[in-house]
């Protein structure tokens, strides 16, 4: 998500499509806003606390989610960026190991502070004896966006090989991936949940649940979306007329409607996001076509200094905004609960009218936080290049606890495991900053050799 965005204000490479940077920034802001709409916190008449997913209870939300779930577009744009990044890496004489460890650094380094925060916060709540049910409710919600770290790193780590397959086999690659996604959905819904009658993942503990059978789609669905990004990079969508793109959008939505009508799938596209399902793969095609239709007005917008400035301001700290917006939402709601002024009840007209001002407050608060955290988004000075097996081990170390958090929810054990695994993974690939003393010792060692 943060690939190359930080360089926007300094140098815009020839041929760079700034609409993609705008798309990423707009998508992150939309994610923040949707999470604000989900977070309905208030007090009942008796003073007790109410926590609800307000927007999900609205009759129109399922239909709106077919547009509001823009996560497939993240992976489409990520595929475009990976294709461009791999071409640049090859031009510099770099191989797949250098490409992958840089992507790992750009995702894992910003995650370190948030894992420290989660581990400390959950540890404190346990020491203070705060109601575990309330802690679980908040922690699961706050940790929900972390799935993106694992999914995005997986597809980025596989990008050099997937680009090669795209060049060799073309449309057959996404066709096979889509078939894999459909087969995984069948395994999950028909075999695991239906024939074997395996229940959902337990609310507490780490037991087996039918959702776990859908985890292979973390690869199938998001690699499909990445392939769509490769076709976007090739100009396949740009060569289609507006009428053809509109027809593609219509056919895509009809295909999604046909799939969800079969049963198993949710009409709510956000509910189809974990584990990811085949409708999201088709939604990636729809969103790529829509982005192509909007390319001309977005390009005109990105020629204006205000738009470029906004993209630079938010884009240079995009991972910080993504990782910290939910913790900040919870902190601000906690402050609001402590104030003597009454809170608007979730779902009331006043609550809806205050959502946009609350979005601006959240973004401003995260921006203040980013003044220190943005250092973790900068590309570090990398140490000696590791071997391919070591790089692969580092990727797996980072992925495993994040996938576990996504499957079972955020808790103290998994937060601590994610923190340790992220630190070790970065050390393995030489992407964690050393102390000045360590750097001095290393320099002296090199001079003495």
């Amino acid at each position: 998500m943060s690939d190359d965005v930080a360089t926007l204000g300094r140098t815009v490479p020839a041929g760079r499509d700034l609409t993609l940077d705008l798309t990423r920034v707009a998508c992150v802001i939309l994610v923040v806003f949707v999470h604000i709409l989900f977070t309905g916190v208030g007090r009942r008449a008796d003073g007790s606390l109410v926590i609800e997913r307000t927007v999900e209870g609205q009759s129109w939300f399922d239909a709106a989610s077919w547009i509001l779930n823009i996560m497939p577009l993240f992976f489409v744009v990520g595929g475009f960026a990976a294709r461009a990044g791999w071409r640049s890496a090859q031009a510099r004489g770099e191989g797949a190991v250098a490409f992958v460890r840089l992507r790992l650094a750009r995702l894992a380094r910003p995650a370190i502070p948030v894992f420290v925060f989660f581990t400390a916060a959950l540890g404190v709540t346990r020491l203070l004896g705060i109601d575990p049910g309330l802690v679980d409710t908040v922690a699961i919600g706050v940790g929900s966006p972390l799935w993106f770290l694992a999914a995005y790193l997986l597809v980025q780590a596989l990008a050099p090989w997937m680009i090669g397959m795209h060049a060799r086999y073309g449309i057959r690659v996404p066709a096979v991936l889509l078939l894999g996604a459909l087969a995984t959905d069948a395994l999950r819904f028909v075999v695991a949940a239906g024939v074997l009658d395996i229940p959902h993942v337990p609310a507490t503990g780490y037991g087996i649940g039918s959702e776990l059978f859908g985890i292979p789609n973390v690869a199938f669905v998001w690699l499909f979306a990445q392939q769509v990004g490769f076709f976007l990079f090739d100009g396949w969508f740009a060569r289609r007329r507006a009428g053809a793109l509109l027809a593609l959008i219509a056919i895509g939505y009809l295909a999604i409607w046909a799939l969800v009508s079969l049963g198993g799938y949710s009409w709510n596209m956000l509910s189809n996001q974990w584990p990811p399902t085949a409708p999201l793969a088709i939604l990636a095609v729809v969103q790529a076509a829509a982005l192509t239709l909007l390319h001309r007005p977005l390009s005109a917008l990105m020629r204006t200094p205000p738009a470029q400035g906004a993209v630079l301001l938010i884009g240079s700290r995009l991972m910080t905004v993504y990782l910290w917006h939910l913790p900040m939402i919870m902190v601000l709601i906690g402050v609001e609960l402590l104030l003597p002024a009454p809170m608007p009840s979730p779902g009331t007209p006043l609550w809806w009218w205050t959502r946009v001002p609350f979005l601006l407050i959240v973004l401003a608060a995260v921006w203040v936080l980013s003044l220190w955290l943005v250092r973790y988004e900068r590309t570090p000075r990398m140490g000696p290049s590791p071997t391919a097996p070591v790089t692969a081990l580092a990727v797996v170390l980072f992925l495993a606890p994040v996938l576990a958090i996504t499957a079972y929810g955020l808790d103290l054990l998994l937060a601590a495991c994610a923190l340790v695994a992220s630190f070790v993974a970065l050390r393995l690939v030489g992407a964690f900053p050393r102390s000045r003393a360590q750097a001095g010792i290393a320099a002296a060692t090199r001079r003495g050799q």
Side-chain angles (χ1 to χ4, degrees):
M1 190 183 342
S2 60
D3 288 356
D4 304 322
V5 175
T7 64
L8 179 61
R10 298 190 295 271
T11 304
V12 178
R16 178 167 185 143
D17 189 348
L18 296 181
T19 65
L20 298 181
D21 297 304
L22 173 63
T23 300
R24 285 185 278 197
V25 167
C27 285
V28 167
I29 293 176
L30 180 59
V31 167
V32 176
F33 189 57
V34 169
H35 284 155
I36 287 173
L37 297 183
F38 266 95
T39 312
V41 179
R43 293 195 181 278
R44 298 184 180 91
D46 60 1
S48 61
L49 191 66
V50 55
I51 301 176
E52 64 178 33
R53 296 164 66 91
T54 306
V55 72
E56 207 168 32
Q58 308 302 309
S59 59
W60 48 264
F61 183 71
D62 284 356
S65 71
W66 291 42
I67 298 174
L68 293 177
N69 187 351
I70 42 70
M71 295 313 298
L73 188 57
F74 268 124
F75 288 85
V76 172
V77 174
F80 188 106
R83 186 80 187 278
W86 179 236
R87 174 179 288 185
S88 298
Q90 288 181 305
R92 294 190 300 268
E94 296 176 358
V97 169
F99 180 91
V100 172
R101 74 165 178 159
L102 181 59
R103 269 66 195 169
L104 172 60
R106 287 177 171 174
L107 286 169
R109 278 171 52 83
I112 290 284
V114 82
F115 287 142
V116 169
F117 171 79
F118 286 147
T119 302
L122 291 169
V124 168
T125 60
R126 179 171 294 187
L127 290 174
L128 295 178
I130 298 175
D131 179 13
L134 176 61
V135 173
D136 287 345
T137 299
V138 174
I140 289 172
V142 171
S144 60
L146 296 177
W147 70 267
F148 175 82
L149 294 173
Y152 197 74
L153 177 59
L154 176 65
V155 299
Q156 288 287 303
L158 294 175
W161 295 273
M162 297 307 297
I163 291 169
M165 295 180 67
H166 168 76
R168 185 172 182 180
Y169 299 109
I171 194 68
R172 285 173 286 182
V173 179
V176 170
L177 291 170
L178 182 58
L179 287 175
L182 291 168
T184 300
D185 289 342
L187 174 65
R188 173 188 171 190
F189 295 126
V190 179
V191 178
V195 176
L196 301 179
D197 197 26
I198 297 176
H200 294 294
V201 169
T204 58
Y206 307 107
I208 298 294
S210 59
E211 294 90 344
L212 302 184
F213 291 85
I215 287 181
N217 267 353
V218 174
F220 287 127
V221 169
W222 300 128
L223 285 174
F224 178 94
Q226 183 188 62
Q227 288 286 321
V228 175
F230 296 164
F231 281 95
L232 187 68
F233 182 89
D234 292 340
W236 187 91
F237 288 90
R239 290 193 295 271
R240 310 274 86 80
R241 294 181 180 273
L245 292 172
L246 288 171
L248 186 60
I249 293 172
I251 292 170
Y253 274 130
L254 284 173
I256 294 172
W257 176 83
L259 275 178
V260 298
S261 298
L262 294 175
Y265 300 110
S266 172
W267 288 92
N268 181 343
M269 287 299 117
L270 291 175
S271 296
N272 284 319
Q273 196 160 272
W274 178 258
T277 56
L280 294 186
I282 301 172
L283 192 59
V285 179
V286 169
Q287 293 176 345
L291 180 62
T292 305
L293 283 173
L294 294 172
H295 188 269
R296 180 173 295 180
L298 293 180
S299 295
L301 177 62
M302 283 308 297
R303 286 193 290 269
T304 64
Q308 291 187 11
V311 166
L312 171 63
L313 179 65
I314 301 176
S316 62
R317 53 205 71 200
L318 209 55
M319 280 300 299
T320 299
V321 174
Y322 182 84
L323 291 173
W324 285 93
H325 73 274
L326 266 176
M328 187 57 69
I329 288 172
M330 290 303 172
V331 168
L332 291 173
I333 288 176
V335 171
E336 194 176 5
L337 286 169
L338 295 174
L339 294 176
M343 294 179 64
S345 180
T348 61
L350 179 60
W351 185 87
W352 285 103
W353 279 109
T354 57
R355 294 310 87 192
V356 171
F358 190 66
L359 168 67
L360 298 177
I361 293 171
V362 169
L363 292 176
V366 174
W367 180 81
V368 171
L369 187 65
S370 75
L371 294 177
W372 179 75
L373 291 174
V374 72
R375 70 189 66 187
Y376 289 93
E377 296 213 39
R378 299 180 183 129
T379 303
R381 291 184 177 180
M382 310 292 274
S385 180
T387 63
V390 169
T391 304
L393 174 62
V395 170
V396 172
L397 276 174
F398 181 72
L399 292 180
V402 178
L403 286 175
I405 289 172
T406 310
Y408 295 109
L410 181 66
D411 61 18
L412 177 58
L413 174 61
L414 293 180
C417 288
L419 173 60
V420 173
S422 300
F423 184 87
V424 173
L426 288 169
R427 283 292 192 186
L428 285 174
V429 298
F432 202 91
R434 295 177 295 180
S435 67
R436 291 184 179 180
Q438 290 174 312
I441 293 171
T445 302
R446 287 194 300 269
R447 287 194 297 268
Q449 292 176 343

